Amino acid sequence: MRAAVTTRYGLPDVVEVREVPTPTPADNEVLVRVRASSVCFGDRIFRSGPLLMRLLSGFRPRHPILGVDLAGTVETVGPGVTRFAPGDAVYGARGDKFAAHAEFACVAEDGFIARKPATMTFEEAGTVFVGAACSLYFLRRANVKPGERVLVHGASGSLGVFAVQLAKHFGAHVTAVCSSANVHLVRSLGADDVIDYTAQDFTDGGPVHDVIVDVLGKAGFPRSLRALKPGGRYLLVGFSGGLGGIARALVTGGFVHLRGRARFVNGAAHPKQADLVFLQEIGGTGTARDHYAELADSVWTQYAYARNAVATPGHHGNALLSRFPIVRHENEDISAHAFESRGMLHCVLKPGPRMPELHCLNV
């Protein structure tokens, strides 16, 4: 099978499409022919290899094939599998085992996998774990109640778009913080109020929020306390800063937690299979939808296309990948002001020998 393989840390061009052995499902595993996956911030971190990652995982990538989310059809099943059969349309995730960026991937029957709702496309279902399941995990830890005020900072990213919708599903009044380019997007997801961080400081309104969801720590801690009610819950969902910034946030958060000023919640998400069923139910009724990234039906030929899109700061979430050859590509700086760092990826594709070139823009 073909897979996107990373044998060393570095920029997007370290990823290569190679032929690798097709995995064989264990007794309790399902072999999935992957129709869609996603490229998320975690993939970028494991590919680029910042110092902390190298200290924890070694100086060569621990996971040569990245990718967490997946959706596709069951190819074969292990002898002990009873819930799935070849041909079933499924979705789920590989979790911390990665390896979803390939034509085939194995998932344990009792792991994060379920039948794909008929109302969801493979592309929509292929983004659920990183975005929806992780957001659900943290919101449940915060025990969000109807009528509470929830602020989501980073509301246009792959986690934030689900955090907005799930908080609304739980009955909260949601304030979304994003850049001016994404205001329309987060409003369409159901946010009650939207703050453009390029024009307004989200702490100006004072401590009025019961819960703050800080995606990748971009809101800043303890600065965010100015917008959080005493005793409120601060959810630090992932990190984007260096080792020093992470240490300061954890130490300060622990101190604030012990003093009772706020409940500081962080750490790795641990979704359960039941969460997938819950998301399947509300997704099937149209309550939650994703701002998804589409993956070609077969493995893409130039994987750097997706990586360039995701590596650009200020992205919406996951990237568009192409199954067709990329003739040329370039990244353009289209930042509107000094507070934004935004790029536009321009790619020229060649769909076929008798087809005209196709120009794709990814902002």
Side-chain angles (χ1 to χ4, degrees):
M1 70 172 187
R2 290 182 295 171
V5 179
T6 306
T7 58
R8 66 187 191 279
Y9 296 117
L11 296 173
D13 55 8
V14 302
V15 183
E16 301 176 359
V17 175
R18 296 183 180 180
E19 290 288 338
V20 299
T22 301
T24 301
D27 182 75
N28 69 328
E29 287 185 332
V30 172
L31 179 66
V32 178
R33 178 183 289 273
V34 179
R35 292 281 303 276
S37 183
S38 65
V39 182
C40 65
F41 186 81
D43 293 314
R44 175 189 172 188
I45 292 297
F46 274 87
R47 183 263 304 157
S48 60
L51 178 60
L52 181 60
M53 179 60 60
R54 301 187 189 208
L55 292 175
L56 295 175
S57 301
F59 285 85
R60 279 194 173 274
R62 179 182 297 179
H63 304 285
I65 302 175
L66 297 175
V68 177
D69 293 321
L70 60 83
T73 54
V74 175
E75 188 76 6
T76 60
V77 299
V81 173
T82 59
R83 292 176 50 227
F84 301 98
D88 286 347
V90 296
Y91 73 133
R94 290 270 303 169
D96 58 6
K97 297 178 181 180
F98 289 89
H101 291 168
E103 288 184 297
F104 296 94
C106 291
V107 183
E109 180 186 29
D110 58 353
F112 207 74
I113 185 171
R115 285 180 174 81
K116 182 184 73 66
T119 55
M120 298 177 72
T121 66
F122 283 107
E123 292 77 19
E124 290 170 332
T127 66
V128 167
F129 180 84
V130 172
C134 292
S135 295
L136 176 62
Y137 172 82
F138 279 95
L139 288 172
R140 280 182 166 168
R141 286 191 65 185
N143 193 24
V144 175
K145 297 180 176 63
E148 289 192 314
R149 299 182 69 91
V150 176
L151 181 141
V152 180
H153 194 285
S156 63
S158 56
L159 277 82
V161 293
F162 282 108
V164 169
Q165 295 171 90
L166 288 169
K168 285 294 296 180
H169 178 78
F170 293 139
H173 180 284
V174 178
T175 298
V177 182
C178 63
S179 67
S180 53
N182 299 318
V183 168
H184 177 74
L185 166 66
V186 296
R187 283 196 190 281
S188 72
L189 299 176
D192 297 288
D193 301 308
V194 180
I195 296 176
D196 176 1
Y197 66 75
T198 66
Q200 179 185 350
D201 189 330
F202 72 92
T203 66
D204 287 346
V208 297
H209 297 96
D210 300 282
V211 178
I212 290 180
V213 182
D214 187 2
V215 180
L216 298 179
K218 294 293 184 69
F221 191 86
R223 174 174 172 268
S224 297
L225 289 178
R226 287 183 279 170
L228 187 66
K229 290 180 180 178
R233 289 90 80 198
Y234 173 82
L235 313 181
L236 180 58
V237 186
F239 299 102
S240 62
L243 183 59
I246 295 172
R248 284 193 299 273
L250 293 178
V251 171
T252 308
F255 179 72
V256 169
H257 186 94
L258 291 174
R259 288 187 60 195
R261 168 62 181 86
R263 181 183 167 200
F264 185 81
V265 179
N266 73 310
H270 298 288
K272 304 183 184 303
Q273 192 176 59
D275 296 337
L276 198 59
V277 177
F278 171 81
L279 292 168
Q280 183 174 353
E281 291 173 350
I282 65 172
T285 61
T287 303
R289 62 187 180 87
D290 58 355
H291 182 61
Y292 62 87
E294 187 168 334
L295 181 68
D297 284 346
S298 60
V299 174
W300 50 101
T301 57
Q302 294 190 35
Y303 195 73
Y305 175 27
R307 296 298 177 162
N308 284 339
V310 164
T312 304
H315 62 83
H316 283 309
N318 302 321
L320 176 71
L321 305 175
S322 172
R323 64 182 297 180
F324 301 113
I326 299 173
V327 179
R328 59 185 181 275
H329 63 87
E330 58 186 356
N331 287 290
E332 297 289 345
D333 185 355
I334 59 169
S335 302
H337 39 69
F339 298 100
E340 181 178 56
S341 179
R342 180 173 298 276
M344 180 182 72
L345 180 63
H346 172 214
C347 289
V348 180
L349 312 181
K350 188 65 176 177
R354 297 181 181 178
M355 300 287 290
E357 291 184 343
L358 177 65
H359 292 256
C360 296
L361 301 178
N362 191 312
V363 181

